Amino acid sequence: MLDFVYYPVSAVLWLWHTGFAALLGAGSSLAWVLAIVLLVVTVRALLVRPFLAQVRFSRTMAILQPQVRALQAKYADDREKLVAETRKLQQQHNFSLLRGCLPMVGQLLLFLGLYHVLRSFDRTGPVSQVPLLGNSTSMTAAENAATANYVFSPDQVRSFLQAELLDAPLSATLATSGAALTSVLTVVIPLVLVAGVATHLTARSAIARQLETTPQTRIVNWLTLWVFPLGAAVAGILMPVGILVYFATSNTWTYAQQHLIHRRLGPLPTPEPEAPHHETAPD
């Protein structure tokens, strides 16, 4: 359904792996790890402009929130006037919900593409089931290793399924690691910590820029500070090592990018309180 995303993402990964394999060898596990990292860097670099649009959208929305609430209080009994004044305020600040949502949709599509292509390398089982040197241990695993994955040939699929990071198969999860549990755990723990800490720091940085808080935003802040990073621990149990490499790289990029862009844009201006509205007495 999303082949228009999957094929370009797969092609970028193929280009990076082909380049690193030429330097390190076709069977190099490091070539796959570096290709995943550079795939994330490439895609996220292409998304810098949409990310900037999303940042400007968020900053404008934060500035307008007090004014919108003031309008809601002022025109609580006049829905038509409230809509008109809110639209006028948004036009004055060149604020568009559509422009704010499109970058998020684009980032979501590319995230799905990255996840799907990496997950598609191992569609039937852990790397321990993949046949080596033609000795089949599982018919379904053999069929998987002999199946192309988008622009990747069957040989390249087998290469990925046999690739390891510090003796942990890139296609293995904690649940499917078997005898390699110790090796997988040794790699998964640092990757999960990097992903979780980067997520927490990104949330903390965003909260520090908030102009004001409400009961609703305090709940969201708590979720982003603690619950979302804990999701990285769940991912560590369920996700293959190769995808955890992606998560750790992507979350670190998000934090660094957010920090640099907001430092360049400077702090949000403090909204000025509206002057009290005085009704003119009739002559």
Side-chain angles (χ1 to χ4, degrees):
M1 185 175 68
L2 294 177
D3 282 352
F4 69 95
V5 176
Y6 300 151
Y7 275 100
V9 169
S10 179
V12 174
L13 181 61
W14 181 88
L15 285 171
W16 281 117
H17 176 258
T18 300
F20 285 120
L23 294 174
L24 303 173
S28 170
S29 296
L30 182 59
W32 281 109
V33 175
L34 292 175
I36 294 171
V37 172
L38 270 295
L39 167 65
V40 175
V41 171
T42 302
V43 172
R44 296 302 299 272
L46 292 174
L47 286 173
V48 166
R49 288 183 66 85
F51 181 80
L52 279 170
Q54 184 180 337
V55 167
R56 293 191 179 98
F57 170 83
S58 300
R59 290 166 67 94
T60 303
M61 185 167 60
I63 294 171
L64 292 185
Q65 278 179 346
Q67 300 177 57
V68 170
R69 281 197 294 272
L71 290 175
Q72 290 171 341
K74 184 176 181 180
Y75 300 109
D77 299 326
D78 190 342
R79 180 69 180 176
E80 184 176 344
K81 184 69 173 177
L82 173 61
V83 171
E85 290 296 323
T86 301
R87 186 180 296 114
K88 180 180 176 182
L89 179 65
Q90 292 174 346
Q91 290 173 349
Q92 289 172 351
H93 291 80
N94 196 28
F95 180 83
S96 169
L97 287 174
L98 180 61
R99 282 201 298 269
C101 292
L102 284 177
M104 289 185 281
V105 172
Q107 291 182 67
L108 176 61
L109 286 175
L110 286 173
F111 161 75
L112 292 174
L114 288 168
Y115 175 83
H116 179 80
V117 169
L118 290 177
R119 194 70 184 93
S120 294
F121 276 104
D122 184 26
R123 292 178 290 270
T124 61
V127 71
S128 58
Q129 293 180 331
V130 176
L132 302 177
L133 303 178
N135 298 318
S136 176
T137 59
S138 169
M139 180 61 69
T140 54
E143 292 170 353
N144 179 48
T147 303
N149 180 24
Y150 294 100
V151 302
F152 289 96
S153 67
D155 287 341
Q156 290 171 313
V157 171
R158 284 191 290 271
S159 173
F160 179 86
L161 293 174
Q162 296 168 17
E164 297 178 340
L165 175 60
L166 301 178
D167 296 327
L170 292 182
S171 59
T173 68
L174 284 177
T176 64
S177 55
L181 177 61
T182 302
S183 298
V184 173
L185 199 59
T186 302
V187 172
V188 164
I189 290 176
L191 291 176
V192 165
L193 286 176
V194 169
V197 170
T199 301
H200 177 82
L201 292 176
T202 300
R204 185 173 292 278
S205 177
I207 291 169
R209 291 189 300 273
Q210 290 178 349
L211 298 178
E212 57 182 1
T213 59
T214 64
Q216 291 78 15
T217 57
R218 281 193 288 270
I219 293 173
V220 173
N221 291 345
W222 183 81
L223 289 173
T224 57
L225 274 174
W226 305 110
V227 176
F228 291 178
L230 284 175
V234 177
I237 298 173
L238 302 176
M239 301 287 186
V241 171
I243 294 179
L244 291 179
V245 172
Y246 152 71
F247 269 124
T249 306
S250 181
N251 291 6
T252 303
W253 176 283
T254 298
Y255 171 69
Q257 177 178 257
Q258 178 180 264
H259 176 74
L260 293 173
I261 286 178
H262 282 285
R263 187 175 68 175
R264 180 178 177 181
L265 293 176
L268 284 167
T270 304
E272 299 180 0
E274 285 192 342
H277 180 74
H278 299 287
E279 295 290 343
T280 305
D283 294 332

